[in-house]
Amino acid sequence: MKHMLKYSMLALTLFSVSCQENSTEKSSVKVTSVKHTAVKRQSIGNCWLYAQATWLESLLKDTNGEEVDVSETYWTYWDLYHKLLEKEPVPEEELNTGGSWGMSSEIIRRYGWVTEAEFIESEAAESMSEAQSCAEDYIMAQGKENGTLHDVNLRTPEYVRAELDKAFSCDGKYTVNMDAALEKARKASDTMLVDVKSGKQYSLSTMLNSWRQISGPGAYGSSEGKQLVSEAELLRYRNIEQRIKKALNDHYPVVMSFYVTFNAPDQNGVFNLKTLAEKGQLGDGGGHMVVLHDYTVDKVPTEDGGFTSLAEGDLDPELKEKALLGEMNFLVAKNSWGANRRDRPWLRDGYSRFTWDYLQNRYWDEDSEIYRSFFRSVVLPPGY
């Protein structure tokens, strides 16, 4: 995924429900709650690695009840290593730090995982990595003419490793010993995890291979470029909505990819179409990946023939079944933007909320000159 995308204009031909007030909490009844570890804050555009770490940390917490601080910096090192070995010139304006679920899964298969303390011990207590930011700055600087990374023919595996050791050290502030980290790395095939529903144990390799990435109906392919969502697409979204709710009800850490725009959150931090339409343009935004935690639903049928809403939290199995009958209001996700930030006052607890009508709608992409869907994909466990 790209770190940041350019400005675009919002296509104001939205669904009729897009300008309605989105209720954030109409009931004290709870829905679900996926186990998560402490919130972190990415310093470069590698949300996909933070999402992968969040996913793994959640599974580890279900397995042993402990909060494990998986190192995103360790994976970032290997991502940049392979990108530099492609021997492409370093961009002049922005380093390619983007990726995908498939890329992060492949990094784990090849290099395993370590804790933050096992790679750069000094950063173990920090919520945001300075080493990653230093590495990005170093590569951008050394990629220019006369820099150590400018001549792509010099980039042998040994040479790139030596350069990355310097890059992540922040001018010697941190000790970077990848050989030592590799010795401590846990292989995906040896990491045993408990399936939260069945209680059975599977290797991390098996889980990486069995969890499936499901693309949204308007993310790619024939639906991309259309201005309005068709009835057939709405049915597919309803199917995806139900699969997400069922997986979250069983406490699985569902991974979601989408286009985020920072003109969409209201004062309560809920990303919604009404707020976005009032702004009149997308503003800063880009591809993003998060791990879901909870959801809320509206229009849940009641015994007296009326309707009610279910809010955040956890509920008993009977009410979870009723939640499947309602319409998704918003999804709650553990984010990688940190918490209690002055520049984003709506980001209080590090968790973000995205309305379902926002996610399943479209925006106008000025670069490609087509309409694209905000929602891109989810990664679901087998059977969902």
Side-chain angles (χ1 to χ4, degrees):
M1 293 183 196
K2 296 293 181 70
H3 177 38
M4 280 287 126
L5 293 183
K6 301 177 180 64
Y7 288 87
S8 301
M9 288 302 295
L10 174 67
L12 294 178
T13 52
L14 302 173
F15 293 156
S16 60
V17 299
S18 65
C19 290
Q20 294 177 0
E21 186 85 24
N22 285 295
S23 171
T24 59
E25 195 151 349
K26 298 179 181 176
S27 169
S28 60
V29 182
K30 309 304 182 182
V31 179
T32 188
S33 182
V34 176
K35 292 181 180 178
H36 283 302
T37 53
V39 171
K40 300 179 187 178
R41 179 178 172 181
Q42 64 187 85
S43 58
I44 63 175
N46 57 352
C47 60
W48 54 289
L49 290 174
Y50 278 81
Q52 182 78 68
T54 295
W55 175 81
L56 177 55
E57 288 173 355
S58 178
L59 295 175
L60 288 168
K61 191 169 184 178
D62 275 319
T63 299
N64 54 35
E66 299 176 359
E67 292 213 3
V68 180
D69 183 10
V70 174
S71 175
E72 298 90 356
T73 305
Y74 174 77
W75 292 339
T76 301
Y77 183 110
W78 288 117
D79 173 56
L80 294 175
Y81 170 80
H82 285 286
K83 286 173 177 172
L84 289 171
L85 284 182
E86 292 174 358
K87 298 189 175 181
E88 295 291 334
V90 175
E92 293 186 5
E93 296 183 358
E94 184 180 6
L95 187 65
N96 176 18
T97 54
S100 64
W101 170 264
M103 289 173 62
S104 58
S105 297
E106 184 58 29
I107 290 174
I108 298 176
R109 292 187 186 98
R110 296 185 67 169
Y111 302 105
W113 64 277
V114 298
T115 65
E116 204 63 73
E118 290 170 334
F119 185 41
I120 300 181
E121 186 176 2
S122 303
E123 287 205 326
E126 304 297 328
S127 62
M128 184 167 70
S129 171
E130 182 184 19
Q132 293 178 32
S133 181
C134 287
E136 182 179 49
D137 292 343
Y138 181 92
I139 293 171
M140 290 296 293
Q142 297 304 321
K144 300 183 185 302
E145 189 173 1
N146 298 321
T148 56
L149 292 170
H150 182 72
D151 186 351
V152 297
N153 294 315
L154 294 176
R155 295 188 206 163
T156 63
E158 296 77 15
Y159 186 87
V160 171
R161 281 277 304 274
E163 284 296 297
L164 287 177
D165 287 350
K166 296 176 186 176
F168 281 85
S169 74
C170 292
D171 292 325
K173 180 177 180 179
Y174 301 117
T175 300
V176 179
N177 189 337
M178 180 54 79
D179 289 333
L182 283 170
E183 290 182 1
K184 297 174 182 177
R186 298 152 185 82
K187 295 181 180 180
S189 57
D190 295 338
T191 302
M192 300 306 296
L193 300 167
V194 171
D195 179 87
V196 66
K197 183 179 180 181
S198 68
K200 296 180 180 179
Q201 284 200 343
Y202 300 95
S203 70
L204 174 54
S205 293
T206 298
M207 288 201 172
L208 288 172
N209 293 333
S210 61
W211 283 56
R212 293 181 56 205
Q213 187 168 14
I214 310 297
S215 294
Y220 308 101
S222 60
S223 297
E224 189 175 27
K226 294 181 180 179
Q227 184 175 2
L228 298 177
V229 181
S230 68
E231 288 296 326
E233 289 173 295
L234 286 174
L235 289 175
R236 288 188 60 195
Y237 273 120
R238 179 61 175 172
N239 175 266
I240 291 174
E241 173 190 340
Q242 293 298 89
R243 295 164 76 175
I244 290 173
K245 289 193 290 188
K246 288 178 180 178
L248 290 177
N249 282 354
D250 289 331
H251 301 104
Y252 285 106
V254 176
V255 182
M256 181 176 73
S257 301
F258 62 104
Y259 182 93
V260 65
T261 168
F262 292 107
N263 272 349
D266 61 19
Q267 61 181 0
N268 296 314
V270 179
F271 286 70
N272 68 94
L273 286 175
K274 180 178 183 294
T275 301
L276 183 56
E278 289 172 350
K279 297 289 179 65
Q281 65 177 15
L282 290 178
D284 286 337
H288 195 50
M289 187 183 292
V290 295
V291 181
L292 300 178
H293 169 69
D294 196 355
Y295 67 94
T296 68
V297 287
D298 291 333
K299 298 184 179 179
V300 180
T302 60
E303 293 181 359
D304 60 4
F307 295 93
T308 188
S309 301
L310 302 179
E312 298 177 44
D314 205 357
L315 50 70
D316 59 46
E318 181 180 352
L319 285 175
K320 285 181 179 178
E321 286 297 318
K322 288 186 177 180
L324 299 177
L325 302 176
E327 296 180 4
M328 185 96 78
N329 183 1
F330 62 79
L331 288 162
V332 185
K334 180 188 173 185
N335 221 322
S336 54
W337 296 335
N340 301 314
R341 291 173 54 175
R342 292 183 178 180
D343 59 333
R344 296 179 186 174
W346 41 265
L347 189 65
R348 294 183 296 274
D349 58 0
Y351 286 74
S352 299
R353 290 142 181 89
F354 307 92
T355 63
W356 190 236
D357 63 344
Y358 162 77
L359 290 169
Q360 66 183 349
N361 227 297
R362 303 201 198 287
Y363 66 95
W364 176 251
D365 185 345
E366 288 186 335
D367 290 340
S368 303
E369 296 188 338
I370 61 173
Y371 291 95
R372 297 186 185 276
S373 296
F374 288 100
F375 180 87
R376 299 295 167 79
S377 67
V378 286
V379 182
L380 295 169
Y384 292 86

CSV table of all heavy atoms in Angstrom, one decimal, residues 60-90:
chain,number,residue,atom,x,y,z
A,60,LEU,N,-1.3,-14.9,19.3
A,60,LEU,CA,-0.4,-15.3,20.4
A,60,LEU,C,-1.1,-15.1,21.8
A,60,LEU,O,-1.0,-15.9,22.7
A,60,LEU,CB,0.9,-14.5,20.3
A,60,LEU,CG,1.8,-14.9,19.2
A,60,LEU,CD1,2.9,-13.9,19.0
A,60,LEU,CD2,2.4,-16.3,19.4
A,61,LYS,N,-1.9,-14.0,21.9
A,61,LYS,CA,-2.5,-13.7,23.1
A,61,LYS,C,-3.6,-14.7,23.4
A,61,LYS,O,-3.8,-15.1,24.6
A,61,LYS,CB,-3.1,-12.3,23.1
A,61,LYS,CG,-3.6,-11.8,24.4
A,61,LYS,CD,-4.0,-10.3,24.4
A,61,LYS,CE,-4.3,-9.7,25.8
A,61,LYS,NZ,-4.6,-8.3,25.7
A,62,ASP,N,-4.3,-15.1,22.4
A,62,ASP,CA,-5.3,-16.2,22.5
A,62,ASP,C,-4.7,-17.5,22.9
A,62,ASP,O,-5.2,-18.3,23.6
A,62,ASP,CB,-6.1,-16.4,21.2
A,62,ASP,CG,-7.3,-15.4,21.1
A,62,ASP,OD1,-8.0,-15.2,22.1
A,62,ASP,OD2,-7.5,-14.9,20.0
A,63,THR,N,-3.4,-17.7,22.5
A,63,THR,CA,-2.7,-19.0,22.7
A,63,THR,C,-2.2,-19.1,24.1
A,63,THR,O,-2.3,-20.1,24.8
A,63,THR,CB,-1.6,-19.2,21.7
A,63,THR,OG1,-2.1,-19.2,20.4
A,63,THR,CG2,-0.8,-20.4,21.9
A,64,ASN,N,-1.5,-18.0,24.6
A,64,ASN,CA,-0.8,-18.1,25.9
A,64,ASN,C,-1.2,-17.1,26.9
A,64,ASN,O,-0.7,-17.0,28.0
A,64,ASN,CB,0.7,-18.1,25.7
A,64,ASN,CG,1.2,-16.8,24.9
A,64,ASN,OD1,0.6,-15.8,25.0
A,64,ASN,ND2,2.2,-17.0,24.1
A,65,GLY,N,-2.1,-16.2,26.5
A,65,GLY,CA,-2.6,-15.2,27.4
A,65,GLY,C,-1.7,-14.0,27.6
A,65,GLY,O,-2.0,-13.1,28.5
A,66,GLU,N,-0.6,-14.0,26.9
A,66,GLU,CA,0.4,-12.9,27.1
A,66,GLU,C,0.4,-11.9,26.0
A,66,GLU,O,0.1,-12.2,24.9
A,66,GLU,CB,1.8,-13.6,27.2
A,66,GLU,CG,2.0,-14.6,28.4
A,66,GLU,CD,3.3,-15.2,28.4
A,66,GLU,OE1,4.1,-14.9,27.5
A,66,GLU,OE2,3.6,-16.1,29.3
A,67,GLU,N,0.9,-10.7,26.3
A,67,GLU,CA,1.0,-9.7,25.3
A,67,GLU,C,2.5,-9.7,24.8
A,67,GLU,O,3.4,-9.4,25.5
A,67,GLU,CB,0.8,-8.3,25.9
A,67,GLU,CG,-0.7,-8.1,26.3
A,67,GLU,CD,-1.1,-6.6,26.1
A,67,GLU,OE1,-0.3,-5.8,25.6
A,67,GLU,OE2,-2.3,-6.3,26.4
A,68,VAL,N,2.6,-10.1,23.5
A,68,VAL,CA,3.9,-10.3,22.9
A,68,VAL,C,4.1,-9.1,22.0
A,68,VAL,O,3.2,-8.8,21.1
A,68,VAL,CB,4.0,-11.6,22.1
A,68,VAL,CG1,5.4,-11.7,21.4
A,68,VAL,CG2,3.7,-12.8,23.0
A,69,ASP,N,5.2,-8.4,22.1
A,69,ASP,CA,5.5,-7.3,21.2
A,69,ASP,C,6.3,-7.7,20.0
A,69,ASP,O,7.6,-7.7,20.0
A,69,ASP,CB,6.4,-6.2,22.0
A,69,ASP,CG,6.6,-5.0,21.3
A,69,ASP,OD1,6.1,-4.8,20.2
A,69,ASP,OD2,7.5,-4.2,21.7
A,70,VAL,N,5.6,-8.1,19.0
A,70,VAL,CA,6.2,-8.6,17.7
A,70,VAL,C,6.9,-7.4,17.0
A,70,VAL,O,6.3,-6.3,16.9
A,70,VAL,CB,5.2,-9.2,16.8
A,70,VAL,CG1,5.8,-9.6,15.4
A,70,VAL,CG2,4.6,-10.5,17.5
A,71,SER,N,8.1,-7.6,16.5
A,71,SER,CA,8.9,-6.5,15.9
A,71,SER,C,8.5,-6.2,14.4
A,71,SER,O,8.8,-7.0,13.5
A,71,SER,CB,10.4,-6.8,15.9
A,71,SER,OG,11.1,-5.8,15.3
A,72,GLU,N,7.8,-5.1,14.2
A,72,GLU,CA,7.6,-4.7,12.8
A,72,GLU,C,8.9,-4.2,12.2
A,72,GLU,O,9.0,-4.2,11.0
A,72,GLU,CB,6.5,-3.5,12.8
A,72,GLU,CG,5.2,-3.9,13.4
A,72,GLU,CD,5.0,-3.7,14.9
A,72,GLU,OE1,6.1,-3.3,15.5
A,72,GLU,OE2,3.9,-3.9,15.4
A,73,THR,N,9.8,-3.7,13.0
A,73,THR,CA,11.0,-3.2,12.5
A,73,THR,C,11.9,-4.3,11.8
A,73,THR,O,12.5,-4.1,10.8
A,73,THR,CB,11.8,-2.5,13.6
A,73,THR,OG1,11.0,-1.5,14.2
A,73,THR,CG2,13.1,-1.8,13.1
A,74,TYR,N,11.8,-5.4,12.4
A,74,TYR,CA,12.5,-6.6,11.9
A,74,TYR,C,12.0,-6.9,10.5
A,74,TYR,O,12.8,-7.1,9.5
A,74,TYR,CB,12.4,-7.8,12.8
A,74,TYR,CG,12.9,-9.1,12.3
A,74,TYR,CD1,14.2,-9.4,12.4
A,74,TYR,CD2,12.0,-10.1,11.9
A,74,TYR,CE1,14.7,-10.7,12.0
A,74,TYR,CE2,12.4,-11.3,11.5
A,74,TYR,CZ,13.8,-11.6,11.5
A,74,TYR,OH,14.2,-12.8,11.1
A,75,TRP,N,10.7,-6.9,10.3
A,75,TRP,CA,10.1,-7.2,9.0
A,75,TRP,C,10.3,-6.1,8.0
A,75,TRP,O,10.5,-6.3,6.8
A,75,TRP,CB,8.6,-7.5,9.2
A,75,TRP,CG,8.3,-8.7,9.9
A,75,TRP,CD1,9.0,-9.8,10.1
A,75,TRP,CD2,7.0,-9.0,10.6
A,75,TRP,NE1,8.4,-10.8,10.8
A,75,TRP,CE2,7.1,-10.3,11.1
A,75,TRP,CE3,5.8,-8.3,10.7
A,75,TRP,CZ2,6.1,-10.9,11.8
A,75,TRP,CZ3,4.8,-8.9,11.4
A,75,TRP,CH2,4.9,-10.2,12.0
A,76,THR,N,10.3,-4.8,8.5
A,76,THR,CA,10.6,-3.7,7.7
A,76,THR,C,12.0,-3.7,7.1
A,76,THR,O,12.2,-3.4,5.9
A,76,THR,CB,10.4,-2.4,8.5
A,76,THR,OG1,9.1,-2.3,9.0
A,76,THR,CG2,10.7,-1.1,7.6
A,77,TYR,N,12.9,-4.2,7.9
A,77,TYR,CA,14.3,-4.4,7.4
A,77,TYR,C,14.3,-5.3,6.2
A,77,TYR,O,14.9,-5.0,5.2
A,77,TYR,CB,15.1,-4.9,8.6
A,77,TYR,CG,16.6,-5.1,8.3
A,77,TYR,CD1,17.6,-4.3,8.9
A,77,TYR,CD2,17.1,-6.2,7.4
A,77,TYR,CE1,18.9,-4.5,8.7
A,77,TYR,CE2,18.4,-6.4,7.2
A,77,TYR,CZ,19.3,-5.5,7.8
A,77,TYR,OH,20.7,-5.7,7.6
A,78,TRP,N,13.6,-6.4,6.3
A,78,TRP,CA,13.7,-7.4,5.2
A,78,TRP,C,12.9,-7.0,4.0
A,78,TRP,O,13.2,-7.3,2.9
A,78,TRP,CB,13.2,-8.8,5.7
A,78,TRP,CG,14.2,-9.5,6.6
A,78,TRP,CD1,14.0,-9.8,8.0
A,78,TRP,CD2,15.5,-9.9,6.3
A,78,TRP,NE1,15.1,-10.4,8.5
A,78,TRP,CE2,16.1,-10.4,7.5
A,78,TRP,CE3,16.2,-9.8,5.1
A,78,TRP,CZ2,17.4,-10.9,7.5
A,78,TRP,CZ3,17.5,-10.3,5.1
A,78,TRP,CH2,18.1,-10.9,6.3
A,79,ASP,N,11.8,-6.2,4.3
A,79,ASP,CA,11.1,-5.6,3.1
A,79,ASP,C,12.0,-4.7,2.3
A,79,ASP,O,12.0,-4.8,1.1
A,79,ASP,CB,9.8,-4.9,3.6
A,79,ASP,CG,9.1,-4.2,2.5
A,79,ASP,OD1,8.7,-4.8,1.5
A,79,ASP,OD2,8.9,-3.0,2.6
A,80,LEU,N,12.6,-3.8,3.0
A,80,LEU,CA,13.5,-2.8,2.3
A,80,LEU,C,14.7,-3.5,1.7
A,80,LEU,O,15.2,-3.1,0.6
A,80,LEU,CB,14.0,-1.8,3.3
A,80,LEU,CG,12.9,-0.8,3.8
A,80,LEU,CD1,13.4,0.1,4.9
A,80,LEU,CD2,12.3,0.0,2.7
A,81,TYR,N,15.2,-4.6,2.3
A,81,TYR,CA,16.3,-5.4,1.8
A,81,TYR,C,15.9,-5.9,0.4
A,81,TYR,O,16.7,-5.8,-0.6
A,81,TYR,CB,16.6,-6.5,2.7
A,81,TYR,CG,17.5,-7.6,2.2
A,81,TYR,CD1,18.9,-7.4,2.2
A,81,TYR,CD2,17.0,-8.8,1.8
A,81,TYR,CE1,19.7,-8.4,1.7
A,81,TYR,CE2,17.8,-9.8,1.3
A,81,TYR,CZ,19.2,-9.6,1.3
A,81,TYR,OH,20.0,-10.6,0.8
A,82,HIS,N,14.8,-6.5,0.3
A,82,HIS,CA,14.4,-7.1,-1.0
A,82,HIS,C,14.0,-6.0,-2.1
A,82,HIS,O,14.3,-6.2,-3.2
A,82,HIS,CB,13.2,-8.1,-0.8
A,82,HIS,CG,13.5,-9.4,-0.2
A,82,HIS,ND1,14.2,-10.3,-0.9
A,82,HIS,CD2,13.4,-9.8,1.1
A,82,HIS,CE1,14.4,-11.4,-0.1
A,82,HIS,NE2,13.9,-11.1,1.1
A,83,LYS,N,13.5,-4.9,-1.6
A,83,LYS,CA,13.2,-3.8,-2.6
A,83,LYS,C,14.5,-3.2,-3.1
A,83,LYS,O,14.6,-2.9,-4.3
A,83,LYS,CB,12.3,-2.8,-1.9
A,83,LYS,CG,10.9,-3.2,-1.7
A,83,LYS,CD,10.1,-2.2,-0.9
A,83,LYS,CE,8.6,-2.7,-0.8
A,83,LYS,NZ,7.8,-1.9,0.1
A,84,LEU,N,15.5,-3.1,-2.3
A,84,LEU,CA,16.8,-2.6,-2.7
A,84,LEU,C,17.5,-3.5,-3.7
A,84,LEU,O,18.2,-3.1,-4.6
A,84,LEU,CB,17.7,-2.2,-1.6
A,84,LEU,CG,17.2,-1.0,-0.7
A,84,LEU,CD1,18.1,-0.8,0.5
A,84,LEU,CD2,17.4,0.3,-1.6
A,85,LEU,N,17.3,-4.8,-3.4
A,85,LEU,CA,17.9,-5.8,-4.3
A,85,LEU,C,17.3,-5.9,-5.7
A,85,LEU,O,17.8,-6.5,-6.6
A,85,LEU,CB,17.8,-7.2,-3.7
A,85,LEU,CG,18.8,-7.5,-2.5
A,85,LEU,CD1,18.7,-8.9,-2.0
A,85,LEU,CD2,20.3,-7.2,-3.0
A,86,GLU,N,16.1,-5.3,-5.8
A,86,GLU,CA,15.5,-5.2,-7.2
A,86,GLU,C,16.2,-4.3,-8.1
A,86,GLU,O,16.0,-4.2,-9.3
A,86,GLU,CB,14.0,-4.8,-7.0
A,86,GLU,CG,13.1,-5.8,-6.4
A,86,GLU,CD,11.7,-5.3,-6.1
A,86,GLU,OE1,11.5,-4.1,-6.5
A,86,GLU,OE2,10.9,-6.0,-5.6
A,87,LYS,N,17.2,-3.5,-7.5
A,87,LYS,CA,18.1,-2.6,-8.2
A,87,LYS,C,17.3,-1.5,-9.0
A,87,LYS,O,17.7,-1.2,-10.1
A,87,LYS,CB,19.0,-3.4,-9.1
A,87,LYS,CG,19.9,-4.4,-8.3
A,87,LYS,CD,21.0,-5.0,-9.1
A,87,LYS,CE,21.9,-5.8,-8.2
A,87,LYS,NZ,23.0,-6.5,-9.0
A,88,GLU,N,16.2,-1.1,-8.4
A,88,GLU,CA,15.6,0.1,-9.0
A,88,GLU,C,16.1,1.4,-8.3
A,88,GLU,O,16.4,1.3,-7.2
A,88,GLU,CB,14.0,0.0,-8.8
A,88,GLU,CG,13.4,-1.2,-9.5
A,88,GLU,CD,13.4,-1.0,-11.0
A,88,GLU,OE1,13.4,0.2,-11.4
A,88,GLU,OE2,13.3,-2.0,-11.7
A,89,PRO,N,16.2,2.5,-9.1
A,89,PRO,CA,16.6,3.7,-8.5
A,89,PRO,C,15.7,4.1,-7.3
A,89,PRO,O,14.5,3.9,-7.3
A,89,PRO,CB,16.5,4.7,-9.6
A,89,PRO,CG,16.6,3.9,-10.9
A,89,PRO,CD,15.9,2.6,-10.5
A,90,VAL,N,16.3,4.7,-6.3
A,90,VAL,CA,15.5,5.2,-5.1
A,90,VAL,C,14.7,6.4,-5.6
A,90,VAL,O,15.3,7.3,-6.2
A,90,VAL,CB,16.5,5.6,-4.0
A,90,VAL,CG1,15.7,6.2,-2.8
A,90,VAL,CG2,17.2,4.4,-3.5
